[in-house]
Amino acid sequence: MCYWCIDHSRLMWLPQFTRKMPPPVRHWCDQADEIGKYGWLAHDGVHFGVQEIEESGFVLKTEFVKRPGGDHGGDWTARFTVKPKLPDRPVVLSLMFYIALDGDGHLEESSTKKRLTGIRGITPELGQFELKFPKSVSSVQKFHHLITHADRLDELKDVLVKSMSLDNWEKSSKLPYFIFHGRYVPRDRKANYIVHQVTAVLPLQMEVIFESGSYHNRPSILSGDVFTTELHKYQTEFDAKFERLFPLHVKGYGEEDISFAKAALSNLIGSIGYFYGSSLVQSVYNEEPVNYWEAPLYTGVPSRPFFPRGFLWDEGFHNLLISQWDESISVDIIGHWFDLMNTEGWIPREQILGVEARAKVPTQFIVQRNKNANPPTFFLPLKSIIKHKIESNTVEDKAFLSALYPRLKAWFTWYNVSQVGKTSTSYRWRGRDEKAVKQLNPLTLTSGLDDFPRASHPSDEEYHIDLRCWLALASGVMADIARSLDKNWQVYDATHRRLMDNTALDELHWSEKGQQYSDFGLHTERVRLERPKRPENLQPGQRPPPQDKVRTVQEEPHLQFVNSLGYVSLFPFLLKIIDPKSPKLYTVLRDLKDPALLWSDYGLRSLSKSAKLYNRYNTEHDPPYWRGAIWINMNYLALDALDFYSRESGPHQDTARAIYKELRTNIVNNMIKQYRRTGYIWENYSDKTGEGKGSHPFTGWSALVVLIMGEKY
């Protein structure tokens, strides 16, 4: 499990005496590991982090502290503390800390006759450095190491396992355990991968110290009592900052609830990683996919075990919370993302950079297509970030806005060239497949709401309400930044006023029949999945080949509104486009609160119970995703909108305020309940039972619960 890493310095671990083959080494964070629970308890994104991992027989606690200094980032120390769950049941565990080079550099071991004591190295990025392994603390411990070569970073575990051999724990005991035997480097290779193995009877405490060669005159070694003192200092500062930004005590939350909120924030912050590589892109200009330029990306990830890579529309939501905690981190993230833009203004929606990232992604999702968009959610955090930068008016902030503006301009222009519909001021998501005969409703992956029901037959005639609303938001932010830089803001302001105009919106997207905002397209409700008929030309005794169900159309489609009430139809409300005095706002609020439609005791469901495709499989094998489940990012936007309409003068203020209070309570109470029950924050939640569903831990946009608790919108 790769639960913590800095520059490919990481930890693996192995419970000994299990008699399993191959040995059950933990490395990459994988949902299939079925670990009891794990996650960061505190992490400030800069100086320190504390994490607990609960295995079946022991608890592993990891702590790190960073000390800035020198020309390459400074020093850091990690402390690993492992305790058995049951003191009367001895546990023998191997901790294996390793470093591996990805490119140029050199590694060299430091050792005594008994054990490896450190690793010296040099790389272009880190300069000279030294890793030190002070003696660990345990009643019984043994030391081994491996010095070898690995061709690729995604093969490290395989190389390690193949290098292991069996030994006897004691002469009087034949219990086998796995060890290394020192150096094994092929003749034509050089060592680029070193592993330090400590095997001990628990409890065990071990430190790893990284010292940068460019850090001169360090005040002390970051170890022992010095480490403990620094860790306590940063933990205290973290707690004080958290309470200052999100005053949950004042709002009536107890210590256990506040610990949940700190864990949610910390797991989002702790998921931020550094990736390097190139996107594989299918362009209209090439017959086959080509690799884009190699580039770095500093980004959060939605889920460490299941989605350990950057997603464009997720990252906008992530930075609503990250920017509240530390705006400088968000500025760094945004800068990296916009440096991935091509000359046309397009940014790939999934960033699968490097061999490790690609190893975790199904083949069909690796190629990115330069016609396909993703919701421009970065405009959500940018709205407040740009406001802060304008108000501060420092030289540094002006420079940031000046550098960002041309990239935002290109991005905004790309949407308004590539994603427009046939009708004036309409927009259409590209990327739907009209030939997807096995899908009940062809997916709209580019919208982020993958299987939410759209027009049954994709065509150039359709247009999508959610994309139009995203561009309304984007045009307003563009006007703000252009005005602050004395650029041509009038063109963005005119677009913003046009897209915010309720009359034009209603003409395009209000369905009188459905009494809701809707997509428009070539559509029929009468479709279903059926098994193809058995072939007639089978030989006697011949079994028919397996055949998946395919879509059959019971009624010819025609151009009409797609009246599937759910998150998509709520977008004019979610992004605060509906006029506060509009009677349509009352209709939306009424539908929100109706248990037969969108309301549940745990949050707003993604698709109305009245919809034909509510909780329906989209293929024979693909369960419903955005067809009823409760998603926290959309519920955050709903609470933001309810809070807005409860403060705006109009006939629906009181209704909005009452729904806001109840919805907020339902969401927070259920998420805390499920966290206490399972130890995890989840990708989405059941609208029937409130139970967590999907990948876990999912502390990307589900971590927005912190802003919900703190009422930060």
Side-chain angles (χ1 to χ4, degrees):
M1 173 181 295
C2 172
Y3 69 90
W4 172 82
C5 64
I6 298 179
D7 302 305
H8 296 109
S9 303
R10 300 176 177 173
L11 185 76
M12 302 187 201
W13 64 91
L14 168 64
Q16 296 284 3
F17 309 158
T18 62
R19 300 182 185 275
K20 292 181 180 179
M21 292 295 291
V25 174
R26 301 290 203 200
H27 183 214
W28 280 356
C29 190
D30 195 323
Q31 205 160 282
D33 286 343
E34 296 183 349
I35 289 177
K37 61 180 180 180
Y38 62 93
W40 294 102
L41 304 178
H43 197 307
D44 69 354
V46 180
H47 297 109
F48 91 110
V50 178
Q51 178 180 222
E52 279 193 358
I53 302 164
E54 187 175 306
E55 286 271 29
S56 58
F58 58 89
V59 176
L60 168 59
K61 186 175 187 178
T62 75
E63 302 162 308
F64 80 87
V65 170
K66 183 175 180 181
R67 178 191 280 166
D71 301 323
H72 299 89
D75 299 344
W76 53 260
T77 294
R79 177 182 286 171
F80 309 101
T81 305
V82 199
K83 296 180 180 179
K85 285 187 174 179
L86 300 173
D88 58 338
R89 291 189 181 180
V91 176
V92 177
L93 180 74
S94 287
L95 295 184
M96 296 170 289
F97 191 90
Y98 73 83
I99 183 168
L101 299 183
D102 181 21
D104 295 334
H106 175 74
L107 296 177
E108 182 179 312
E109 74 275 17
S110 301
S111 61
T112 65
K113 291 182 179 180
K114 293 185 177 181
R115 68 182 188 91
L116 189 72
T117 58
I119 301 168
R120 296 185 302 276
I122 183 170
T123 71
E125 298 82 10
L126 295 176
Q128 292 185 337
F129 63 87
E130 184 173 6
L131 277 169
K132 297 178 179 179
F133 305 125
K135 191 168 183 181
S136 47
V137 179
S138 176
S139 58
V140 180
Q141 54 187 316
K142 298 185 178 184
F143 303 95
H144 299 87
H145 65 272
L146 172 67
I147 302 169
T148 189
H149 177 89
D151 290 329
R152 292 160 50 109
L153 293 177
D154 58 329
E155 298 173 349
L156 296 179
K157 179 180 174 180
D158 293 339
V159 171
L160 179 143
V161 170
K162 289 177 182 177
S163 302
M164 284 181 160
S165 61
L166 286 171
D167 198 359
N168 291 329
W169 179 245
E170 296 173 337
K171 290 182 179 179
S172 59
S173 169
K174 298 301 180 182
L175 283 173
Y177 80 113
F178 293 93
I179 64 169
F180 303 117
H181 285 292
R183 178 178 289 271
Y184 175 73
V185 183
R187 288 183 180 179
D188 58 339
R189 304 289 185 181
K190 66 175 183 177
N192 68 350
Y193 179 25
I194 300 180
V195 185
H196 173 52
Q197 179 186 14
V198 179
T199 305
V201 178
L202 301 185
L204 165 68
Q205 187 170 91
M206 164 184 166
E207 289 183 351
V208 176
I209 303 167
F210 176 94
E211 293 186 341
S212 171
S214 64
Y215 190 161
H216 304 294
N217 301 317
R218 61 177 52 84
S220 57
I221 297 176
L222 192 55
S223 179
D225 291 341
V226 174
F227 176 91
T228 302
T229 300
E230 289 290 290
L231 180 69
H232 177 73
K233 179 187 76 172
Y234 288 128
Q235 178 75 65
T236 302
E237 291 175 356
F238 172 86
D239 292 338
K241 180 178 179 179
F242 188 91
E243 183 60 26
R244 185 175 70 254
L245 294 175
F246 315 108
L248 301 189
H249 281 109
V250 176
K251 294 184 179 297
Y253 290 105
E255 290 300 328
E256 195 171 355
D257 296 343
I258 295 172
S259 293
F260 157 80
K262 289 178 180 177
L265 168 70
S266 298
N267 279 283
L268 173 59
I269 297 292
S271 80
I272 298 171
Y274 180 87
F275 301 84
Y276 189 85
S278 60
S279 290
L280 187 63
V281 176
Q282 178 61 67
S283 166
V284 295
Y285 309 112
N286 300 97
E287 292 184 5
E288 298 294 331
V290 297
N291 280 305
Y292 264 29
W293 64 93
E294 290 192 334
L297 177 63
Y298 181 62
T299 184
V301 303
S303 171
R304 288 157 64 196
F306 208 76
F307 299 111
R309 57 191 183 276
F311 286 78
L312 181 57
W313 98 293
D314 292 67
E315 198 60 18
F317 283 106
H318 296 169
N319 280 275
L320 284 167
L321 177 54
I322 294 170
S323 62
Q324 290 270 352
W325 176 254
D326 189 332
E327 194 172 275
S328 67
I329 295 177
S330 283
V331 166
D332 201 356
I333 288 172
I334 291 167
H336 274 82
W337 271 95
F338 280 88
D339 278 349
L340 297 174
M341 178 183 293
N342 73 1
T343 56
E344 296 172 321
W346 174 72
I347 302 174
R349 68 186 187 90
E350 287 191 43
Q351 294 295 332
I352 309 163
L353 307 181
V355 293
E356 288 183 294
R358 288 194 182 182
K360 295 280 284 185
V361 181
T363 304
Q364 66 268 30
F365 296 121
I366 290 178
V367 176
Q368 305 297 297
R369 305 181 188 280
N370 78 334
K371 281 187 175 182
N372 295 349
N374 221 199
T377 55
F378 270 122
F379 284 105
L380 291 169
L382 278 171
K383 189 173 183 178
S384 61
I385 291 173
I386 289 171
K387 181 181 177 182
H388 296 159
K389 299 295 184 187
I390 293 172
E391 291 172 349
S392 71
N393 203 32
T394 64
V395 173
E396 183 180 16
D397 288 339
K398 284 182 178 179
F400 169 74
L401 294 176
S402 296
L404 180 64
Y405 175 72
R407 290 166 171 81
L408 285 179
K409 180 180 178 181
W411 199 36
F412 182 79
T413 301
W414 180 83
Y415 279 95
N416 281 279
V417 170
S418 69
Q419 306 296 302
V420 292
K422 282 191 171 183
T423 304
S424 177
T425 74
S426 71
Y427 293 85
R428 174 171 64 87
W429 295 112
R430 272 44 171 189
R432 302 192 72 208
D433 183 3
E434 68 274 8
K435 299 177 182 177
V437 295
K438 295 182 181 180
Q439 296 178 14
L440 194 58
N441 188 275
L443 296 173
T444 315
L445 294 171
T446 48
S447 74
L449 306 171
D450 307 358
D451 66 345
F452 189 96
R454 308 282 184 160
S456 61
H457 290 64
S459 73
D460 292 349
E461 303 296 328
E462 68 182 315
Y463 42 88
H464 301 118
I465 178 65
D466 51 334
L467 181 51
R468 189 183 195 276
C469 293
W470 283 122
L471 269 296
L473 167 72
S475 58
V477 178
M478 288 302 301
D480 289 342
I481 187 171
R483 187 183 289 110
S484 74
L485 296 171
D486 199 25
K487 302 292 185 181
N488 182 13
W489 59 269
Q490 291 89 347
V491 64
Y492 301 114
D493 186 62
T495 301
H496 182 61
R497 285 187 281 108
R498 188 163 59 248
L499 294 178
M500 292 293 289
D501 180 77
N502 280 207
T503 301
L505 172 68
D506 294 351
E507 286 177 0
L508 275 178
H509 286 289
W510 180 258
S511 167
E512 284 294 337
K513 180 181 177 181
Q515 286 294 291
Q516 65 178 72
Y517 287 103
S518 299
D519 286 343
F520 183 87
L522 192 61
H523 182 66
T524 176
E525 291 283 324
R526 298 193 61 190
V527 295
R528 64 186 182 187
L529 295 175
E530 292 182 344
R531 187 87 58 202
K533 291 183 179 179
R534 178 189 178 105
E536 295 179 356
N537 58 347
L538 293 176
Q539 300 297 318
Q542 182 183 2
R543 291 185 177 182
Q547 291 180 293
D548 287 340
K549 290 181 178 180
V550 296
R551 184 174 72 162
T552 61
V553 180
Q554 313 297 313
E555 176 185 82
E556 284 301 305
H558 64 275
L559 291 172
Q560 60 175 309
F561 286 113
V562 184
N563 292 325
S564 296
L565 181 66
Y567 289 164
V568 165
S569 44
L570 293 181
F571 261 85
F573 161 75
L574 296 175
L575 297 183
K576 296 170 276 194
I577 296 169
I578 304 176
D579 189 284
K581 298 180 175 63
S582 170
K584 292 181 174 62
L585 178 58
Y586 167 77
T587 304
V588 170
L589 295 176
R590 180 197 65 197
D591 291 347
L592 282 186
K593 196 64 176 66
D594 189 341
L597 300 176
L598 299 175
W599 188 264
S600 83
D601 291 337
Y602 318 106
L604 298 177
R605 56 176 63 94
S606 46
L607 185 62
S608 168
K609 290 176 73 173
S610 66
K612 179 149 183 156
L613 296 187
Y614 169 71
N615 267 336
R616 292 275 300 276
Y617 273 55
N618 199 47
T619 72
E620 184 177 359
H621 311 290
D622 296 332
Y625 202 42
W626 293 86
R627 295 186 177 177
I630 295 161
W631 293 79
I632 302 307
N633 61 330
M634 293 292 117
N635 276 267
Y636 171 84
L637 290 181
L639 287 166
D640 180 19
L642 288 166
D643 180 66
F644 170 79
Y645 286 115
S646 72
R647 300 173 189 275
E648 289 293 306
S649 178
H652 313 300
Q653 276 184 283
D654 292 342
T655 303
R657 185 176 298 111
I659 296 174
Y660 168 83
K661 290 180 180 178
E662 190 173 353
L663 179 61
R664 176 174 171 267
T665 299
N666 287 351
I667 293 166
V668 172
N669 286 353
N670 184 63
M671 289 189 70
I672 291 175
K673 176 183 176 181
Q674 299 307 322
Y675 181 78
R676 290 175 181 168
R677 186 178 70 85
T678 66
Y680 292 114
I681 293 172
W682 293 77
E683 183 178 9
N684 55 65
Y685 294 83
S686 168
D687 64 315
K688 297 177 180 178
T689 65
E691 293 180 341
K693 299 169 57 181
S695 65
H696 56 281
F698 190 96
T699 43
W701 61 42
S702 291
L704 292 174
V705 66
V706 179
L707 297 181
I708 294 172
M709 294 171 75
E711 299 187 276
K712 298 279 189 175
Y713 306 110

